[in-house]
Amino acid sequence: MAVSLRRDAGAGLRLREFLEELGPDELQRVTGPVELADVAAALEGNAKAVWFERLSLAGNVTGSRSRLALAFHTTPRDLLPEVLGRLKNKGEVVEVQKAPAQEVVEREPDLTALPVHLQHGFDGAPYISASVDFTRDDERGVTNVGMRRLMLRGRREAGIDLNAPSDLRAIYQARAKRGERLPIAFVVGSHPIDQVAATMRLPGDELALIAALRGAPLQVVKCVSNDLRVPADAEYVLEGYLDERGYAEPEGPYGEFLGYYGALKSNPVFHLTAVTHRRDAVFQTATISGRTLSRTDTSQLNALRAEVGVWRALETAVRGTRAVYASPASGGAFNVRVQLETRAPGDARNAIAAVFGCLVNVKHVFVVDPDVDIWSDEQVEWALATRFQADQDLVVQSGFRAIPLDPSLRGATTGAKAGFDLTTRDRAPIPQPPSYEGRRFDSVEAALRDGPKHFVELMAARASRDGREIVRDLEALRARISRDADGRYVLK
Ligand SMILES: Cc1cc2nc3c(=O)[nH]c(=O)nc-3n(C[C@H](O)[C@H](O)[C@H](O)COP(=O)(O)O)c2cc1C
């Protein structure tokens, strides 16, 4: 299905338009009344994005590779090359005075007036989850963009999780150390491309990164209650600041992106100073956790980001990388597959070593030959079963920095990584249905006089559409024929 998005700078990229252009194969429209208490169950494991029209709330928008691909006007398999290509763009940022995102300005804002639902049974409170944050890094003179969840603590207060290493964590900690607040703005309701940009961790100005990935200039507008610039085409903007008290208040528990609950943590507090939005704004929620990770926003966004990181690491480590796939079912990075044309002994191990080091989240690396489709679980299972000897082809190393949310660490702060070299130097032909091509002869005997032949070549030689008459001809010739080591029939 084709999605035509208006690309010109004036039009911008809007979540509502993206949703409107999705077909019924990608979007479930819920037109009847829905209570916030039922939103999570409707999204759980859902392969489609869901638009709760009465709540003006959309969920699971980026929860599939196909929808991410539609956002970039490409196919799921071409998504990574498309993103890598766009990352070479020089992103242009244009400031505007008047923005759709500020059609309505609320200076007495209230988080509890927004359609924010409880996402998992034991979450500490309802969370805003599809929240793209914008801050300024004074030291580098750039805008930092990420995605961070917000746990409602009241009408103007929310907890923000800043435990994992990130640019925002570093920016905030530097500010808090000086006893200063950090102005921040959260866009809720954005085009998938902006969320892909937000989850990338690349050096440089990330407003320009959004523009680069959009492939069009990004129009930004100054917030009404601070000096930050946010995309002018956003649905909602929640403006405010993180207070100077540091990691001062409990936040969580929360259903995390590996499919388990994270612990109650100490985290900073966000204070809301204004809300601006479009008149017909669509609020957005992201799916995060549970048993069906491959259908969550987090895993799909994580997977694309991991693939970019792995691809770039392999570019310098080895020649011959054909494709990279991060499995969304593993949270989008824990299990990574690499399709590699090996050129010299050891190439696969070099690739494994490079992938081990390039991302903390990568835990298991599977390297396959170009004849194995890394998008196919079936083919990778087959390669693991038949091209792998555990005592020779397994690379295990320990002591790596690890993601504390991984329960198999059993509390350790470092963990092991494993590489599976599924490449093979002596690749046997793969059985396939026969194809009947070759020279024609007047008889099987004439064909064999020309040289040894496989059965299929004898069928082709006689233009046979059956094969059983060739068996009878071979029977008649039995005393005069033998077989060679490849199984071909040979005239003695
Ligand atoms: C839906 C979603 C929610 C996320 N929530 C958080 C979060 O609450 N805290 C966090 O540290 N990272 C979170 N992340 C990961 C960060 O957004 C990601 O690491 C990003 O690259 C950090 O950006 P920065 O290093 O530029 O600050 C989330 C990612 C997604 C896709």
Side-chain angles (χ1 to χ4, degrees), residues 292-349:
T292 49
L293 291 184
S294 67
R295 274 163 268 162
T296 62
D297 291 276
T298 322
S299 277
Q300 292 293 342
L301 290 168
N302 278 349
L304 190 50
R305 148 182 141 143
E307 288 170 13
V308 168
V310 167
W311 182 272
R312 289 186 156 184
L314 289 174
E315 264 178 337
T316 51
V318 284
R319 291 276 168 273
T321 309
R322 293 276 171 273
V324 170
Y325 170 80
S327 140
S330 75
F334 272 52
N335 296 346
V336 166
R337 301 171 183 168
V338 176
Q339 193 190 56
L340 186 70
E341 179 93 59
T342 50
R343 296 176 182 206
D347 268 358
R349 283 186 180 236

Side-chain angles (χ1 to χ4, degrees), residues 43-106:
L43 291 172
E44 176 77 8
N46 199 328
K48 298 182 185 183
V50 185
W51 192 352
F52 306 92
E53 292 188 354
R54 299 256 187 116
L55 292 171
S56 204
L57 171 70
N60 215 23
V61 178
T62 64
S64 85
R65 184 83 169 194
S66 52
R67 287 193 291 285
L68 282 176
L70 286 169
F72 282 89
H73 296 272
T74 185
T75 63
R77 285 180 187 231
D78 287 335
L79 182 57
L80 176 59
E82 177 68 29
V83 168
L84 290 166
R86 290 191 188 204
L87 284 171
K88 293 186 189 131
N89 293 340
K90 193 181 164 306
E92 188 191 342
V93 180
V94 181
E95 184 157 350
V96 294
Q97 303 302 317
K98 206 165 175 292
Q102 295 179 343
E103 280 170 356
V104 180
V105 175
E106 294 175 14

Side-chain angles (χ1 to χ4, degrees), residues 70-267:
L70 286 169
F72 282 89
H73 296 272
T74 185
T75 63
R77 285 180 187 231
D78 287 335
L79 182 57
L80 176 59
E82 177 68 29
V83 168
L84 290 166
R86 290 191 188 204
L87 284 171
K88 293 186 189 131
N89 293 340
K90 193 181 164 306
E92 188 191 342
V93 180
V94 181
E95 184 157 350
V96 294
Q97 303 302 317
K98 206 165 175 292
Q102 295 179 343
E103 280 170 356
V104 180
V105 175
E106 294 175 14
R107 291 184 190 273
E108 296 291 321
D110 183 351
L111 290 170
T112 64
L114 301 169
V116 187
H117 69 288
L118 191 66
Q119 292 187 281
H120 317 101
F122 297 118
D123 285 0
Y127 271 84
I128 299 172
S129 49
S131 21
V132 178
D133 54 80
F134 295 77
T135 47
R136 283 293 293 175
D137 181 353
D138 293 339
E139 261 175 44
R140 289 185 296 147
V142 296
T143 297
N144 187 67
V145 184
M147 283 188 87
R148 245 71 52 159
R149 68 204 194 199
L150 291 169
M151 185 191 86
L152 299 198
R153 288 170 46 82
R155 278 169 289 185
R156 295 206 186 147
E157 264 189 28
I160 177 173
D161 176 32
L162 278 190
N163 270 259
S166 70
D167 291 337
L168 179 59
R169 185 175 80 163
I171 296 166
Y172 173 71
Q173 286 179 341
R175 280 287 185 123
K177 211 168 153 194
R178 298 200 296 268
E180 291 168 12
R181 297 170 170 180
L182 178 70
I184 190 165
F186 292 89
V187 164
V188 184
S190 50
H191 191 273
I193 292 180
D194 294 13
Q195 289 164 49
V196 169
T199 45
M200 300 277 161
R201 252 194 108 185
L202 300 171
D205 188 279
E206 292 180 329
L207 285 176
L209 172 64
I210 295 177
L213 285 183
R214 286 184 178 207
L218 174 70
Q219 295 193 348
V220 295
V221 67
K222 187 184 123 18
C223 288
V224 300
S225 65
N226 61 36
D227 288 335
L228 293 165
R229 268 57 174 179
V230 290
D233 48 21
E235 300 285 332
Y236 276 89
V237 184
L238 316 182
E239 302 180 8
Y241 61 89
L242 304 184
D243 74 35
E244 62 282 9
R245 292 178 302 149
Y247 291 71
E249 295 289 348
E251 183 272 339
Y254 187 59
E256 298 278 3
F257 78 100
L258 290 178
Y260 303 94
Y261 283 102
L264 185 74
K265 305 171 186 172
S266 286
N267 262 312

